[in-house]
Amino acid sequence: MASPLFLFLCFYSLFFTTSYSQRQSLLSTNYYQKTCPRFEQILQDTTTNKQISSPTTAAATLRLFFHDCFVGGCDASVLISSTPFNKAERDADINLSLPGDGFDVVVRAKTALELACPGVVSCADILAVAARNLVLMMGGPYYSVKLGRKDSLISTASSIDGNLPKATMPMNQIIQIFESRGFSVQEMVVLSGAHTIGFSHCKEFSSILYNYSTTSESAPSYNPRFSQALRDACANYHQNPTLSVFNDVMSPNKFDNMYFQNLPKGLGLLSSDHALYLDPRTKQYVDLYAKNQTAFFEAFGAAMEKLSVYGVKSEGKGEIRRRCDAFNN
């Protein structure tokens, strides 16, 4: 007779697979073909113009998309502004450093789409497609984005705790956060490759950069010359908390596999970056993607397609917001 644990695992696997398939079936790549035929063109024009005028937009939007999807699904809940009656997700401590360019590109696209086809396109779809377009614009892979998401009806800062990985978390905890959402260790590593673009504030890695131990100023996993350069660059971070450094110091404005090539050389920035190379569960994938950019691009595209349908809201469980930063009420 099967054990209760075995039956539970079978049920969980069946439930996750079924619900994932159901979410997929609600979406389609041509969802707006009749209701908003200029959707793709408007998104393309908006993301291109924004990235040209503000080169940090791609990394900002990709990070915003990830922070949205991992808390309750890809439903634009992170875009909601707080009110006197509700502290929203974007005001949780971990989200306070989300760059404004990510929010701005969504607002610009929503404004243009509301003029072309009012009340049709969700903010969640805008964010998902904007992230894909900007990855491609930075030299990364193209991947399909299915459409038809609805926007969330709730957004609370309290829902953030424990649901987003932090650079200072032990690898066990980071892996658990991904696995609880149906993502493998390999998918976690490949999504971490998004750090090939963007930057991090000095305070996010100061604990392994300064006064690391009685025998070492910085973590020994750092390249010594790199850690000295970082200490110099971040010297005044207490007085200026906006001080930041590129995640990939070798090719910060290009989406490539250089992030993975940096890790064995001690050129990772965050504690979690170093852990990816030091942990045997993840090192094999770091080595694979460092050697093979094609493998990285293929796996990244597949993981982003999977992430983009995580926890999407369907009719009756969401809405098409008139403004991306406020519920319709």
Side-chain angles (χ1 to χ4, degrees):
M1 183 176 178
S3 70
L5 176 61
F6 176 77
L7 292 172
F8 170 77
L9 291 173
C10 288
F11 173 78
Y12 176 83
S13 175
L14 178 64
F15 173 79
F16 179 83
T17 304
T18 303
S19 60
Y20 177 78
S21 300
Q22 286 174 340
R23 288 195 299 272
Q24 287 259 54
S25 67
L26 296 170
L27 309 176
S28 65
T29 54
N30 62 352
Y31 188 84
Y32 297 115
Q33 188 171 22
K34 293 181 179 178
T35 56
C36 192
R38 294 186 58 232
F39 167 77
E40 293 284 356
Q41 189 59 54
I42 290 172
L43 254 293
Q44 188 62 58
D45 292 345
T46 304
T47 51
T48 299
N49 292 336
K50 176 64 179 174
Q51 177 64 23
I52 290 171
S53 63
S54 302
T56 58
T57 300
T61 307
L62 191 54
R63 186 173 172 217
L64 184 64
F65 177 66
F66 182 84
H67 280 228
D68 181 46
C69 292
F70 253 51
V71 181
C74 305
D75 58 7
S77 54
V78 75
L79 302 178
I80 290 292
S81 293
S82 294
T83 69
F85 310 103
N86 178 57
K87 185 178 179 182
E89 287 179 26
R90 68 192 290 175
D91 286 321
D93 286 348
I94 195 173
N95 284 339
L96 292 176
S97 62
L98 289 171
D101 285 327
F103 293 95
D104 186 57
V105 73
V106 175
V107 170
R108 291 186 185 203
K110 179 65 170 174
T111 301
L113 286 163
E114 285 299 300
L115 290 172
C117 33
V120 172
V121 180
S122 69
C123 302
D125 278 347
I126 292 171
L127 179 54
V129 175
R132 189 275 311 279
N133 288 359
L134 289 160
V135 165
L136 188 63
M137 193 173 175
M138 295 293 285
Y142 175 87
Y143 56 90
S144 295
V145 176
K146 291 186 176 182
L147 304 167
R149 297 164 190 76
K150 298 295 182 286
D151 298 323
S152 73
L153 301 172
I154 189 170
S155 175
T156 59
S158 60
S159 64
I160 300 293
D161 285 347
N163 286 315
L164 284 173
K166 298 179 181 178
T168 53
M169 283 179 175
M171 187 52 65
N172 280 342
Q173 190 174 358
I174 294 175
I175 288 174
Q176 190 277 327
I177 288 174
F178 276 83
E179 287 188 337
S180 68
R181 288 157 177 76
F183 291 88
S184 67
V185 171
Q186 184 170 5
E187 288 169 328
M188 182 272 286
V189 175
V190 78
L191 288 171
S192 299
H195 283 168
T196 184
I197 56 175
F199 58 86
S200 294
H201 292 97
C202 293
K203 64 180 180 181
E204 295 179 59
F205 53 93
S206 60
S207 63
I208 60 170
L209 190 60
Y210 299 104
N211 304 315
Y212 180 74
S213 70
T214 55
T215 58
S216 176
E217 175 72 1
S218 301
S221 50
Y222 272 125
N223 176 294
R225 290 176 62 190
F226 182 50
S227 63
Q228 182 59 59
L230 290 176
R231 286 196 296 273
D232 293 342
C234 293
N236 295 319
Y237 83 94
H238 281 299
Q239 289 75 34
N240 183 5
T242 63
L243 279 177
S244 56
V245 179
F246 286 121
N247 292 322
D248 170 7
V249 294
M250 304 304 289
S251 58
N253 297 312
K254 185 179 180 184
F255 196 102
D256 54 20
N257 69 334
M258 189 60 70
Y259 166 79
F260 294 110
Q261 293 183 45
N262 289 340
L263 299 186
K265 301 171 185 174
L267 300 178
L269 194 62
L270 305 171
S271 177
S272 54
D273 296 334
H274 295 274
L276 285 179
Y277 189 66
L278 295 173
D279 193 300
R281 291 169 294 182
T282 52
K283 181 181 183 295
Q284 59 180 315
Y285 303 119
V286 172
D287 289 335
L288 169 63
Y289 299 136
K291 293 174 185 174
N292 191 332
Q293 181 167 282
T294 301
F296 167 49
F297 277 17
E298 289 176 354
F300 184 82
M304 287 296 287
E305 286 186 15
K306 180 175 176 179
L307 176 62
S308 72
V309 298
Y310 175 71
V312 297
K313 306 299 183 290
S314 56
E315 199 72 53
K317 296 183 178 179
E319 63 183 6
I320 305 294
R321 287 185 209 141
R322 290 185 289 271
R323 290 175 48 123
C324 290
D325 62 352
F327 303 120
N328 286 343
N329 292 347

